[in-house]
Amino acid sequence: MGRLFKLLKNGNKSAFLAAIVNTIIAIIKGGTYIYTGNVAMFAETMHSLGDAANQFFVFIGSALSKRGATNRFPNGFGRLVHLVLLGAVIIVGIMSFETIKEGFSHIFHPTESTGFVINVAVLGAAVVLEGFVLFKAMREIMHDVGDTTSGFAVFFKSFGHLPKAKPATKLVFMEDLVATAGGILAIVAIVISHFTPFHQAEGIASIIIGLMMFFVVGKVFLDNAAGVLGEADEEMEDKIGELVLRDPEVIDVVEVVVIKEGEELHVELEVEVDPALTVAQADDIKDRLEEKILQEKGVTDVTIEFDEDDGVQRWKKQNPTEKSEE
């Protein structure tokens, strides 16, 4: 049990915070829906319930993926977070379907809901809380990529860094972005329905919110299906290739493979060296390269193979101009 708690301490903090906040929001929204019967509030309740369950699973998965390798699983548990996320999207998918179905029902059979003030107040408070969690996720994205930007600029830069963020952080960001936008949309629909005879606005809002949830489901599924299969990090491959080629005793880089295992990167490298080198000299090169590569963010293990120089340059060397520009 102590080992489990130790692993949980390393879970994704943004996911944990989001799970707690969305659970509280879902309870408040659910109570408000029961009291007012507002279909837009129902959509938001389903959304918050789905997000809370999803983000809780994400937190557990991100924590368990930190477990070290065992004899049975020599590559570790890095991909576990992707499997958990694939399971979690099923929950959101079910909630999305129910939200859309309820929206269509309200369009064809519109009813006037009550509790205008309480609906707007609850949704307004939820938007503020979800916006806070969204900003925390943005800060987490900046931390994942090593960007020290602070202040309002984080809002814009986080979108550009999103593809490089950890899977769990990326999911929290997308879900709370949709949740914040959905809350604003629900408020607009309630206002329209209250001040005009167009009560179908709440049903339309419910359908749009459900479709946004489906978008998150699709995006998360595709990203994590690639993670389960073992996706290559091409940007890191180029970076490591250039790093290795700077070593004075490395003649050429034959191949660099960087596989993402959850939040970890596994590097396989084949280089060409002078065939006249002794085993001891080759071992020194291996140790030197491993030390440099392991300093790169996210790299947890390195496998290096040596081959004799064949006189054919495979890896494109940077010219002096490019190096000076860096």
Side-chain angles (χ1 to χ4, degrees):
M1 185 63 70
R3 186 178 182 182
L4 176 61
F5 280 116
K6 188 176 180 181
L7 283 171
L8 289 177
K9 286 173 66 177
N10 294 322
N12 187 277
K13 294 178 177 57
S14 291
F16 182 66
L17 175 63
I20 293 174
V21 171
N22 276 300
T23 298
I24 296 170
I25 291 173
I27 292 171
I28 296 172
K29 286 179 179 177
T32 306
Y33 166 68
I34 293 171
Y35 177 72
T36 65
N38 187 282
V39 71
M41 185 62 75
F42 172 81
E44 281 297 294
T45 302
M46 291 293 101
H47 194 173
S48 294
L49 277 174
D51 285 354
N54 213 349
Q55 289 154 355
F56 177 74
F57 282 121
V58 168
F59 170 70
I60 298 296
S62 66
L64 296 180
S65 68
K66 302 289 196 308
R67 185 182 176 187
T70 64
N71 291 334
R72 185 178 179 186
F73 301 101
N75 290 328
F77 294 80
R79 297 190 192 186
L80 183 61
V81 66
H82 295 296
L83 289 172
V84 171
L85 288 172
L86 284 176
V89 296
I90 297 174
I91 298 172
V92 182
I94 294 171
M95 300 292 185
S96 304
F97 174 75
E98 291 297 326
T99 300
I100 293 172
K101 186 176 76 171
E102 189 68 21
F104 273 113
S105 176
H106 189 77
I107 288 175
F108 291 112
H109 306 286
T111 56
E112 185 177 359
S113 57
T114 59
F116 170 74
V117 175
I118 189 173
N119 278 322
V120 173
V122 168
L123 286 174
V127 167
V128 172
L129 288 172
E130 285 161 345
F132 169 73
V133 175
L134 175 61
F135 186 73
K136 293 288 287 184
M138 289 176 173
R139 293 286 298 273
E140 191 76 17
I141 289 173
M142 303 298 281
H143 175 73
D144 288 350
V145 300
D147 192 324
T148 57
T149 301
S150 59
F152 194 69
V154 171
F155 180 85
F156 299 101
K157 282 198 169 185
S158 59
F159 283 89
H161 291 315
L162 183 61
K164 301 176 186 177
K166 295 176 182 177
T169 307
K170 191 184 298 185
L171 175 65
V172 173
F173 174 86
M174 288 192 296
E175 286 193 337
D176 277 285
L177 179 63
V178 170
T180 304
I184 295 171
L185 178 62
I187 291 173
V188 172
I190 291 171
V191 170
I192 292 173
S193 179
H194 181 75
F195 289 105
T196 73
F198 188 58
H199 303 307
Q200 291 91 338
E202 294 174 6
I204 293 172
S206 181
I207 292 173
I208 295 173
I209 291 169
L211 291 174
M212 288 193 297
M213 292 166 69
F214 263 126
F215 170 77
V216 173
V217 167
K219 186 73 172 67
V220 172
F221 176 82
L222 291 174
D223 286 349
N224 288 281
V228 169
L229 294 173
E231 185 180 14
D233 189 328
E234 295 181 358
E235 184 177 341
M236 185 59 77
E237 287 175 352
D238 292 338
K239 185 176 182 180
I240 290 177
E242 296 297 339
L243 174 68
V244 169
L245 204 56
R246 294 192 190 107
D247 190 284
E249 293 188 272
V250 173
I251 299 174
D252 192 14
V253 177
V254 179
E255 185 179 27
V256 181
V257 178
V258 180
I259 300 296
K260 297 178 183 177
E261 297 277 356
E263 298 173 7
E264 301 175 352
L265 298 176
H266 298 266
V267 179
E268 297 178 8
L269 175 68
E270 183 179 352
V271 299
E272 291 182 353
V273 295
D274 188 339
L277 291 176
T278 64
V279 173
Q281 290 172 319
D283 190 57
D284 289 340
I285 297 172
K286 179 176 177 290
D287 292 341
R288 188 165 64 240
L289 293 178
E290 281 184 350
E291 184 180 358
K292 290 180 180 178
I293 295 171
L294 286 171
Q295 290 176 0
E296 294 296 323
K297 187 176 179 64
V299 176
T300 56
D301 70 80
V302 183
T303 302
I304 301 176
E305 295 182 8
F306 291 107
D307 198 0
E308 62 179 350
D309 179 27
D310 60 5
V312 178
Q313 188 69 36
R314 291 181 175 84
W315 197 269
K316 181 184 177 183
K317 291 186 177 181
Q318 285 186 319
N319 58 50
T321 305
E322 289 175 322
K323 289 187 177 181
S324 63
E325 288 176 352
E326 290 180 355

